Amino acid sequence: MNKLRITLAQIDFVVGRIEGNRDRILEVIKDAQQDKVDLVLFPELCLTGYPPEDLLLRKDFLDRVDSALEEIARATQNISAVIGFPERQNGQLFNSAAILKDGLKIQTYQKRLLPNYGVFDEKRYFASGEAPCVFELNGLKIGLTLCEDIWHEGPVEASVAAGADLIVSLNASPFHAGKLNERHRLVKARAIAHHTPIAYVNLVGGQDELVFDGASFAVDGLGNLCFQAPEFKEAVEVLEIETQPAIHLLQGLMTAPLDEDARIYEALVTGIRDYVQKNGFQGAVLGLSGGIDSALTLALAADALGPEQVEVISMPSRYTADMSNEDARLEAEALGCKMHTIPIEPAFKTFLGMLEPAFEGRPADLTEENIQARCRGLLLMALSNKKGKILLTTGNKSEMSVGYATLYGDMAGGFAPLKDIPKLLVYRLSRYRNTLSPVIPERVLTRAPSAELRPDQRDEDSLPPYPVLDDILERYIERDQSITDIIAAGLPEQDVRRVARMVDRNEYKRRQAPPGVKVTPRAFGRDRRYPMTHGFSH
């Protein structure tokens, strides 16, 4: 029985850390040599990390990539490896993969289909390849594709036409809700259409707003799943293929899939952990109000970094309910995080006194509410600066969509874990987290949400009920539905028009918000890019 042993190296590579990425690749290749592996597959652009963005415009950056690739090639004695890298050729740059074997670069494939939508800007940097790439290993012909190539007709078909018995796909495919199922459906359909097995290796880890979920897999020519790597974890695992008398993928690692809430929760944990650690912060700090958003953010931060790395501040005001103070204390204690209590009343009074002459003759309004939020922002940033810990903001997507947040107040911070999490999903994730261990008090999940910036305040004083709000926002933001279409779907006309106006006029706030993990198919920032100033009317 002839076998081909392929290692799928699902690794968390760091953007721009070329020598560190090189060393990790060399380490995996060395281990694979000892395990008598024939071929090692690494993710797309593994040498640079993904996406390298405008680092690709630097000659010194590309020079170091070339040097690192040469060193890796020299290490491929008695083994083959496929490495994703940016390739310079004839004055153009290509998103390429090098096939290395016995110390040499024997072949290069240039990505043919370049994504230029959503979070992707590959046409800004790369030229498109024009030809398929099929190489032979142990009598098996292997076709090579890169990420977007497999999502559309053409590249796989060309590889099969060129004689490929197996397709290997190198990917840097970012997570969003439902993405793994999309990949499975697509790749299974390609395999069945051409009766050709496909091995799919994906990047894992957080990179700014993006999270890569790994979940590398392989399917046989009938579309049967034969190998499934874990989600959101590094994995270096071997896929075995019988090559004689016919190609047959042997059953390999089969990791059980996460359910959707667990998957989203792990994406947020991964995004926080990698953003904090890759940027050298000593941990995280956040304001703990006793409300649902800060409770979930605290749980995520503690799970991502360890409770000893997370500090919280309770900052009660004259409007803070006793139950809010109590719930904040219970949340910090349940997770084992250090808590400071600093009332904002002295600062609030001082600011009101300082501003009194300038405010003379004007009634109290939203201004006084925002001053309270900005007092809190100042305290949180002070602790962040002093401790070298990043400040995590706690606002969710529903609030950020309509501007229900204070610039330089509760929006102050360095990373926003819930930025792409609608309010109803905040509740779902909180209940999911409590199934692991009870860290969020039940009344936090059931009481009416409030900013507590004026007496008896409730979110629904300023916003439609969250089930209505989130439905409108999903249609208006995710699906780009018109106001007419949303109203026709049965949503209240007054709410629809008011929410759309709020979304449009608060783009300037979102431009100044910290980055946060992309979870929905259409996140603010990279995905949805609207002008702050425009005259389009509904």
Side-chain angles (χ1 to χ4, degrees), residues 107 109-113 129-135 141-146 149-168 190 193-194 196 198:
Q107 207 166 338
Y109 172 69
Q110 296 168 343
K111 187 174 181 178
R112 298 180 66 187
L113 301 181
E130 297 178 351
C133 173
V134 176
F135 64 100
K141 291 184 178 180
I142 302 173
L144 179 56
T145 64
L146 282 168
D149 288 335
I150 209 164
W151 287 81
H152 304 277
E153 291 188 3
V156 171
E157 287 75 7
S159 294
V160 173
D165 304 307
L166 167 72
I167 301 295
V168 296
R190 290 264 183 270
H194 304 289
T196 304
I198 300 175

Side-chain angles (χ1 to χ4, degrees), residues 12-45:
D12 186 354
F13 292 103
V14 180
V15 166
R17 195 184 68 177
I18 297 167
E19 289 73 25
N21 294 339
R22 172 205 63 197
D23 292 346
R24 191 69 200 280
I25 291 168
L26 290 171
E27 179 183 295
V28 172
I29 289 174
K30 182 178 179 180
D31 289 344
Q33 288 167 324
Q34 294 173 351
D35 291 342
K36 307 298 183 184
V37 165
D38 300 293
L39 174 65
V40 187
L41 301 177
F42 292 92
E44 178 183 22
L45 288 179

Side-chain angles (χ1 to χ4, degrees), residues 112 115 142 195 235 250 261 345 357 360 393 408 424 454 475 498 531:
R112 298 180 66 187
I142 302 173
H195 307 289
L250 300 179
D261 287 348
E345 185 65 22
E360 185 177 2
T393 63
Y408 325 121
L424 296 183
R454 63 175 184 264
R475 293 171 182 276
R498 181 161 65 102

Side-chain angles (χ1 to χ4, degrees), residues 257-497:
L258 300 173
D259 67 35
E260 195 64 12
D261 287 348
R263 185 172 285 143
I264 293 170
Y265 192 90
E266 288 303 315
L268 296 172
V269 166
T270 300
I272 294 169
R273 183 189 63 237
D274 276 13
Y275 193 84
V276 170
Q277 294 180 353
K278 290 178 180 180
N279 285 292
F281 291 101
Q282 301 304 304
V285 61
L286 59 99
L288 196 60
S289 67
I292 187 71
D293 297 320
S294 64
L296 178 59
T297 304
L298 175 59
L300 289 163
D303 290 343
L305 307 173
E308 69 283 354
Q309 297 297 318
V310 182
E311 294 187 52
V312 298
I313 309 181
S314 171
M315 297 167 287
S317 76
R318 64 182 70 174
Y319 303 118
T320 304
D322 289 341
M323 75 172 72
S324 297
N325 295 328
E326 176 67 11
D327 289 341
R329 181 185 63 79
L330 291 172
E331 291 158 11
E333 288 178 354
L335 287 160
C337 297
K338 185 174 182 179
M339 180 173 178
H340 310 270
T341 299
I342 308 176
I344 65 167
E345 185 65 22
F348 185 38
K349 280 184 175 179
T350 298
F351 279 117
L352 291 179
M354 292 167 62
L355 290 164
E356 186 175 5
F359 285 179
E360 185 177 2
R362 295 178 179 270
D365 56 14
L366 185 61
T367 306
E368 284 73 18
E369 295 182 31
N370 287 339
I371 289 171
Q372 295 170 70
R374 289 175 180 135
C375 288
R376 292 182 171 122
L378 187 149
L379 292 172
L380 288 164
M381 283 306 306
L383 184 62
S384 172
N385 292 159
K386 186 64 70 174
K387 299 292 186 75
K389 296 183 175 183
I390 192 170
L391 172 55
L392 301 178
T393 63
T394 61
N396 60 66
K397 187 172 189 176
S398 303
E399 295 171 349
M400 292 306 302
S401 297
V402 295
Y404 194 62
T406 302
L407 271 176
Y408 325 121
D410 54 319
M411 286 179 64
F415 198 69
L418 305 184
K419 183 178 181 178
D420 200 30
I421 304 294
K423 187 73 170 188
L424 296 183
L425 182 53
V426 170
Y427 282 99
R428 273 175 40 201
L429 294 177
S430 298
R431 292 196 179 279
Y432 162 75
R433 180 58 181 83
N434 274 358
T435 67
L436 306 180
S437 61
V439 296
I440 301 175
E442 181 62 24
R443 69 179 173 188
V444 174
L445 294 162
T446 56
R447 64 185 289 208
S450 169
E452 294 189 320
L453 296 171
R454 63 175 184 264
D456 301 319
Q457 184 179 22
R458 297 291 183 268
D459 288 3
E460 290 186 10
D461 298 339
S462 305
L463 302 171
Y466 280 112
V468 174
L469 176 63
D470 280 1
D471 193 0
I472 295 171
L473 292 174
E474 195 272 336
R475 293 171 182 276
Y476 190 63
I477 294 169
E478 305 287 337
R479 302 193 221 168
D480 278 324
Q481 288 186 358
S482 69
I483 285 178
T484 302
D485 289 340
I486 299 172
I487 294 168
L491 279 301
E493 179 174 354
Q494 182 177 356
D495 287 339
V496 172
R497 294 190 182 280

Side-chain angles (χ1 to χ4, degrees), residues 241-253:
I241 302 176
E242 290 181 4
T243 59
Q244 295 292 336
I247 298 171
H248 175 61
L249 272 62
L250 300 179
Q251 189 78 30
L253 175 72

